[in-house]
Amino acid sequence: MWNNITACSLWRLSPSFMSSRIQILTPLFIRNYKDFCKDRQTIWTLQNSLCQVMKKTVPTLKCNMFPHCFASNKARYGQYTKTFPVLDGSIPSVCEHVFEENLRNSEACIQRYSELLCKVSKGGGENAILRHTQRNKKLLVRERLKMLLDDETFLELSPFAGFDLPYGNVPAAGCLTGIGKICGVWCVFMANDATVKGGTIYPISVKKQLRAQHIAIQNRLLSVYLVDSGGAFLPLQAELFPDQSHGGRVFYNEAIMSAMKIPQVAVVCGSCTAGGAYLPTMAEETVIVDKIGSMFLAGPPLVKAATGEDISPEDLGGASMHSKVSGCVDHFASSEKEAFECVRNIILTLNYELPPEETLEYDDPLYSAEELLGLAPRGYNYTLHIKLILSRLIDGSRFQEFKAEYGTTLVTGFAHMEGHLVGIVANNGELTHDASLKGSHFVQLCSQRSIPLLFLQNTAPHASEPTSLSQAEDHTNRLKAQASMMAAVACAAVPKITLVIGGCYGNESYAMCGRSFDPNFLFLWPNARVALVDSRHISTFPQAGDDDCTGDDSGLKYLKEKLDEESSAFHSSARLWDDGIILPQNSRKVIAQCLTIMKQQKYQIASRQQYPVIRM
Ligand code: COA
């Protein structure tokens, strides 16, 4: 409405009046209207329509006048933020022993992290790699990504998914997912690793693909599928076929994403059998690689068994057949390299209008990120003040704290991460009644101002039991306040990132935007522990019908061991309860990257749901 009123009133002014007054009016107007507008998209729309009006009214006026005016305002605005107070991040000498203990624990966790990463990077092992490259003449999945993406610095998601599961070890769940840039556009990719059991789909592979699609939907990112898969892993068919969030959901999502104007491009760069054949056929545009790409509902062995006929994969469902006869694909490529070039060309036809690349100016934190290893708590009792961590993550260690003196077991405030403004909600003790109310208020504030939220989670390992009536009353009040915070977090209409820096325990973790509260991204530090309660804090094992719960020693021991094993960050990441483990010293970079990625959706085409692109 403001847009229309402004444009109309400007139209009524005569050109001579406009040209004489425009220089005076513009800065004044911009200042008022900047106060008025909350989001930059509105500013841009208004700016454009004003430019159009002025172009017609004052032909001599240069249309870049407004961008210039905004740019200078923005620069000045940016300078003001440098006045946020600087945090004191020096580690008190009384805390040195805790720091040392944490450091030792972090080093052990990082050692495990590195060993696992090394294992995962080998995919299905040496023999499978030889079969893939020598016999089947295919590129390895990471080589494919290198050719497809603008550069190698992509954000890989959940590389430890599939590690040590009850049904075996499935390196990276047999499928690499992540976010990288193609032709300057951030894209989600899903690429089968056919060295892992022919790229067949395990239950964890389905979960990983669904998560990648969810990220694409939530952040409105175009998706690229590199398909090289023998379809369902048959021995586990019951765990990946029939249910709502099993295999078919991937195809359902493809249609829904297309209807939401989230484009999807596929490359058939290997065998795509059965379920594997639907994925590329349902994509909006598909490329197939000659000689190595094939698609069929049942392969040559099944044809032989059913009809006695001998047929080659090429004749049954090769590149020529699908591009010339069936129409299941749209582009024929004579090599993998050509196929990835074709994908890049397709992306150039998506009609994206991205703003020029922003070069944000920012200061590094004043304290070393390496020291985060000594601040990553090995247990709740080894937690140091959260501001010591914050001062190593945020630009210039500058923090505009909100309600500094109230509910101090939760720290809330504004800061910048590589130039991006972010609202931070960080545990600094138990989520008390006051802390929860403060959290609710702050989350709503960020939602109101369209500022992304970053949750630094380190929740209490168990709920303390009330020992008096007044304490019980206190607990009830706390419950009510935590419920309010949960509602505020669930409904905050801004992107959210959760980083578990210590414990992710029990109900408090929901209010701190745990997985079920749908953060856009959730990462863990390697020292993180995820469980309903901390095994180190249980002293009794409740038995059925045992009124006083004195416990049974062997039961308690078993429960503690089980909890201990299931609490590790690696156990969580293997099951895709998160988007991956990141090293504390890389956190700032990863979070800033996520903030950049999440910003892209602001500039995309209208999101109104319509019809998907249907292959004819
Ligand atoms: N379920 C379970 N295991 C499968 C499988 C499936 N659908 N497809 C392949 N595998 C296994 C193979 O048994 C083999 O296991 P091994 O390494 O323990 O020997 C491994 O995956 C690799 O298969 P292989 O055929 O040697 O490799 P390849 O790269 O030359 O060929 C395929 C891969 C996928 C093209 C081929 O195995 C194939 O056509 N599989 C059948 C696909 C199918 O019919 N799917 C229907 C699913 S509903």
Side-chain angles (χ1 to χ4, degrees):
M1 199 173 94
W2 174 249
N3 214 335
N4 290 340
I5 293 168
T6 315
C8 291
S9 48
L10 279 173
W11 266 120
R12 273 190 239 114
L13 301 172
S14 73
S16 57
F17 178 85
M18 286 291 291
S19 54
S20 62
R21 296 302 166 104
I22 201 88
Q23 301 288 346
I24 308 161
L25 279 176
T26 304
L28 287 174
F29 171 72
I30 296 303
R31 210 176 308 136
N32 294 338
Y33 129 95
K34 255 202 100 158
D35 291 343
F36 186 84
C37 292
K38 276 181 259 138
D39 109 0
R40 212 169 64 179
Q41 194 65 48
T42 323
I43 296 180
W44 279 32
T45 321
L46 182 47
Q47 177 190 335
N48 278 343
S49 53
L50 279 172
C51 282
Q52 293 306 320
V53 168
M54 289 186 176
K55 244 190 199 167
K56 289 179 190 163
T57 324
V58 193
T60 49
L61 188 71
K62 276 194 181 157
C63 215
N64 66 2
M65 177 180 170
F66 275 91
H68 170 75
C69 183
F70 271 97
S72 56
N73 264 356
K74 199 178 160 220
R76 272 191 280 128
Y77 189 64
Q79 279 161 19
Y80 287 134
T81 60
K82 299 227 165 68
T83 59
F84 284 2
V86 174
L87 291 175
D88 178 7
S90 37
I91 296 155
S93 52
V94 288
C95 299
E96 265 169 24
H97 66 289
V98 179
F99 184 90
E100 291 302 324
E101 196 61 42
N102 286 337
L103 186 61
R104 269 193 290 280
N105 180 60
S106 289
E107 282 167 354
C109 293
I110 291 174
Q111 168 87 14
R112 187 159 182 223
Y113 169 93
S114 310
E115 284 167 7
L116 211 56
L117 209 55
C118 181
K119 257 192 203 167
V120 165
S121 66
K122 292 184 181 140
E126 231 167 82
N127 289 340
I129 290 177
L130 280 179
R131 185 175 59 211
H132 185 87
T133 53
Q134 307 298 311
R135 191 182 79 190
N136 298 344
K137 308 269 180 265
K138 291 189 287 191
L139 294 175
L140 292 170
V141 64
R142 288 185 190 274
E143 292 170 342
R144 287 172 172 166
L145 291 174
K146 210 168 164 180
M147 279 187 170
L148 176 70
L149 302 173
D150 291 353
D151 53 50
E152 286 175 54
T153 53
F154 58 85
L155 178 65
E156 185 169 349
L157 299 168
S158 303
F160 299 149
F163 164 72
D164 209 11
L165 293 181
Y167 50 77
N169 214 357
V170 191
C175 168
L176 263 59
T177 62
I179 304 168
K181 268 191 175 176
I182 308 179
C183 301
V185 184
W186 288 108
C187 309
V188 166
F189 62 79
M190 269 167 44
N192 297 115
D193 181 355
T195 69
V196 181
K197 284 273 183 210
T200 47
I201 308 293
Y202 287 73
I204 194 71
S205 326
V206 172
K207 199 170 178 194
K208 193 165 177 184
Q209 294 188 356
L210 289 176
R211 175 64 193 155
Q213 286 185 324
H214 186 73
I215 288 177
I217 293 170
Q218 206 176 15
N219 299 289
R220 301 193 54 76
L221 295 169
L222 104 90
S223 300
V224 177
Y225 309 123
L226 305 187
V227 202
D228 186 354
S229 162
F233 181 74
L234 287 171
L236 294 175
Q237 66 82 28
E239 286 170 57
L240 54 78
F241 166 65
D243 210 351
Q244 187 195 29
S245 40
H246 282 174
R249 193 72 183 186
V250 175
F251 315 132
Y252 170 85
N253 282 347
E254 282 191 86
I256 297 297
M257 286 162 75
S258 178
M260 290 174 75
K261 288 203 168 194
I262 298 175
Q264 296 150 88
V265 183
V267 182
V268 180
C269 44
S271 171
C272 299
T273 315
Y278 285 95
L279 190 71
T281 311
M282 288 198 68
E284 290 186 354
E285 248 180 285
T286 297
V287 189
I288 191 164
V289 187
D290 193 23
K291 305 283 188 291
I292 63 169
S294 60
M295 292 158 65
F296 15 68
L297 292 182
L302 218 65
V303 174
K304 173 83 179 162
T307 66
E309 214 180 324
D310 277 315
I311 187 162
S312 71
E314 204 51 34
D315 289 340
L316 186 64
S320 288
M321 205 288 278
H322 281 305
S323 50
K324 289 181 191 159
V325 184
S326 78
C328 281
V329 303
D330 313 293
H331 305 274
F332 173 97
S334 50
S335 66
E336 293 207 51
K337 186 167 180 286
E338 197 180 303
F340 300 130
E341 274 162 15
C342 186
V343 172
R344 298 177 69 83
N345 287 338
I346 292 170
I347 288 173
L348 290 175
T349 68
L350 294 179
N351 201 15
Y352 271 35
E353 278 184 34
L354 297 177
E357 195 129 319
E358 260 183 318
T359 9
L360 297 171
E361 281 177 25
Y362 56 84
D363 296 324
D364 288 331
L366 300 180
Y367 303 90
S368 162
E370 294 299 321
E371 286 167 348
L372 288 170
L373 303 189
L375 297 169
R378 61 158 284 199
Y380 194 67
N381 298 340
Y382 292 79
T383 301
L384 295 176
H385 202 290
I386 189 65
K387 286 186 190 163
L388 298 180
I389 291 182
L390 280 179
S391 62
R392 285 157 179 83
L393 289 177
I394 56 182
D395 290 3
S397 306
R398 289 180 180 276
F399 189 55
Q400 170 65 15
E401 192 165 0
F402 175 76
K403 273 189 155 81
E405 307 296 328
Y406 180 83
T408 51
T409 52
L410 188 75
V411 170
T412 53
F414 301 97
H416 290 82
M417 299 283 274
E418 296 198 354
H420 301 276
L421 181 61
V422 68
I424 295 176
V425 182
N427 286 121
N428 193 38
E430 286 187 34
L431 203 52
T432 59
H433 169 268
D434 289 0
S436 308
L437 288 188
K438 168 172 155 179
S440 309
H441 186 172
F442 184 72
V443 164
Q444 291 176 72
L445 214 59
C446 289
S447 183
Q448 187 81 351
R449 296 176 190 176
S450 300
I451 298 171
L453 282 159
L454 170 65
F455 293 84
L456 297 182
Q457 188 179 139
N458 180 23
T459 42
H462 67 123
S464 46
E465 288 151 19
T467 52
S468 64
L469 196 61
S470 73
Q471 256 190 26
E473 215 171 279
D474 206 42
H475 278 212
T476 314
N477 285 336
R478 184 193 287 207
L479 167 69
K480 198 167 74 175
Q482 284 183 358
S484 303
M485 186 171 166
M486 282 188 209
V489 171
C491 297
V494 283
K496 296 157 214 154
I497 302 172
T498 303
L499 177 61
V500 183
I501 56 169
C504 169
Y505 293 114
N507 301 335
E508 289 187 7
S509 73
Y510 302 138
M512 288 301 290
C513 205
R515 186 64 140 187
S516 41
F517 275 62
D518 216 11
N520 297 50
F521 296 96
L522 186 149
F523 299 104
L524 307 178
W525 278 358
N527 57 296
R529 300 182 68 78
V530 183
L532 202 54
V533 289
D534 187 344
S535 62
R536 296 168 288 195
H537 290 258
I538 338 179
S539 51
T540 56
F541 178 51
Q543 305 275 311
D546 187 0
D547 281 346
D548 57 6
C549 292
T550 47
D552 162 279
D553 272 358
S554 63
L556 183 62
K557 189 166 170 281
Y558 169 76
L559 180 64
K560 278 186 164 223
E561 279 169 7
K562 185 166 151 55
L563 260 176
D564 203 38
E565 193 191 313
E566 290 176 354
S567 306
S568 104
F570 299 96
H571 184 93
S572 164
S573 224
R575 282 151 187 81
L576 271 161
W577 298 340
D578 53 74
D579 296 314
I581 297 177
I582 59 172
L583 299 182
Q585 60 273 39
N586 295 342
S587 306
R588 176 175 154 80
K589 199 170 168 349
V590 173
I591 292 164
Q593 199 174 8
C594 291
L595 290 166
T596 316
I597 291 167
M598 294 187 306
K599 236 184 199 178
Q600 181 173 286
Q601 59 187 301
K602 277 192 172 185
Y603 310 110
Q604 255 176 267
I605 322 170
S607 60
R608 195 167 57 86
Q609 184 150 342
Q610 42 171 24
Y611 293 105
V613 173
I614 298 172
R615 189 172 295 281
M616 299 291 181

